[in-house]
Amino acid sequence: MMNKVAIVGCNSFIGMQLTPFLKFNGYEVTGLSKSKSEYTDQFIDLAKSESINLDCLNEMDYVIVAAAISSPDKCENQFELCYKINVQGTSFLIHEALKRKCKVIFFSSDAVYGDDIGIPFTENTPTNPISNYGKMKNLVEMSFGNEKNFKALRLSYVFSYYDKFTQYYLSCLKNREKAQIFHPLYRNVICLADLLQTVKVLMERWESIQSNIVNVCGDELISRVNLADIINSTFAPQLCE
Ligand SMILES: NC(=O)c1ccc[n+]([C@@H]2O[C@H](COP(=O)([O-])OP(=O)(O)OC[C@H]3O[C@@H](n4cnc5c(N)ncnc54)[C@H](OP(=O)(O)O)[C@@H]3O)[C@@H](O)[C@H]2O)c1
């Protein structure tokens, strides 16, 4: 039988890749989003949780929560709105999905750990979020951390041809413009392809993965300058032809 999956935030950077990936792998995918795209089957605004119609979740096996205000700056500067979306609306959605016996995958962040402590973070490292963004992700994790049908994936920086930094840097290369690269900015990095495979494996082996929290973080800190070097060596020769 085909598994049914709802992706909330199907138009996010990750959702736009996850949707075709899961469809290709035989899942029946329903896309929920605030904006319209070829992947949108139903509109949803997490800022207005009181008026969200979630009847479509009745028949879902899995609900993947990719929607969020993911800009840490916005979470600092527009706290109330972001709290409404990232905590209240998201928690309402997850609660409703669990009530309907769906298995929920929530995209959290390694921002829940706070400052770099000099050794790699593991799922057992105590959380100590510093930013509002990290605190909001942590609040959602804590609300559902004991539910057997809830798993949070703690993502680090998801690297892909389509991520914001790579697209910015490629456009600078293409237009022969000098790129403005913030340094030092070191992040653990995970490739999008590895994240997509992780989601698939998680759905296939849900029962055998005991932990409610799964780190999907690279094991090495990489700076934006390192990333620019990787992009240079991969794409610059073609762009300069
Ligand atoms: N990308 C990363 O490196 C990374 C790292 C750590 C964690 N994460 C987490 O992974 C998830 C996906 O990340 P991403 O980079 O793909 O996100 P993104 O590109 O910033 O997209 C976020 C999505 O959230 C949706 N959204 C915003 N406000 C909403 C609202 N009021 N109601 C419903 N939907 C709303 C937007 O929908 P519309 O487009 O329809 O407006 C948007 O597509 C996020 O939760 C993020 O925090 C990502």
Side-chain angles (χ1 to χ4, degrees), residues 12-14 34-35 45-46 66-68 70 108 133 137 155-156 158:
S12 60
F13 150 61
I14 296 171
K34 190 159 167 270
S35 63
D45 185 351
L46 292 172
S70 60
S108 185
Y133 172 67
K137 291 289 187 190
L155 312 180
S156 54
V158 181

Side-chain angles (χ1 to χ4, degrees), residues 35-65:
S35 63
K36 194 167 180 245
S37 83
E38 60 179 306
Y39 298 135
T40 308
D41 297 299
Q42 189 186 312
F43 289 104
I44 188 167
D45 185 351
L46 292 172
K48 298 179 182 155
S49 46
E50 61 290 345
S51 56
I52 300 178
N53 179 346
L54 292 173
D55 288 349
C56 74
L57 299 189
N58 291 338
E59 55 188 43
M60 294 298 151
D61 300 298
Y62 299 93
V63 176
I64 299 176
V65 186

Side-chain angles (χ1 to χ4, degrees), residues 152-217:
L153 298 188
R154 287 182 180 155
L155 312 180
S156 54
Y157 169 38
V158 181
F159 177 63
S160 130
Y161 180 82
Y162 301 101
D163 78 57
K164 276 191 205 122
F165 174 76
T166 303
Q167 282 296 309
Y168 162 72
Y169 190 70
L170 281 172
S171 81
C172 292
L173 280 179
K174 205 168 160 187
N175 300 321
R176 295 172 189 276
E177 285 165 8
K178 198 170 177 182
Q180 307 281 330
I181 301 179
F182 187 79
H183 187 74
L185 173 57
Y186 284 86
R187 287 285 312 271
N188 283 88
V189 177
I190 175 87
C191 286
L192 177 67
D194 291 337
L195 168 61
L196 301 184
Q197 285 296 340
T198 305
V199 172
K200 181 168 166 281
V201 168
L202 195 63
M203 295 200 297
E204 288 168 356
R205 303 190 199 160
W206 189 276
E207 307 301 339
S208 63
I209 297 167
Q210 305 289 325
S211 175
N212 286 83
I213 304 286
V214 180
N215 275 6
V216 190
C217 309

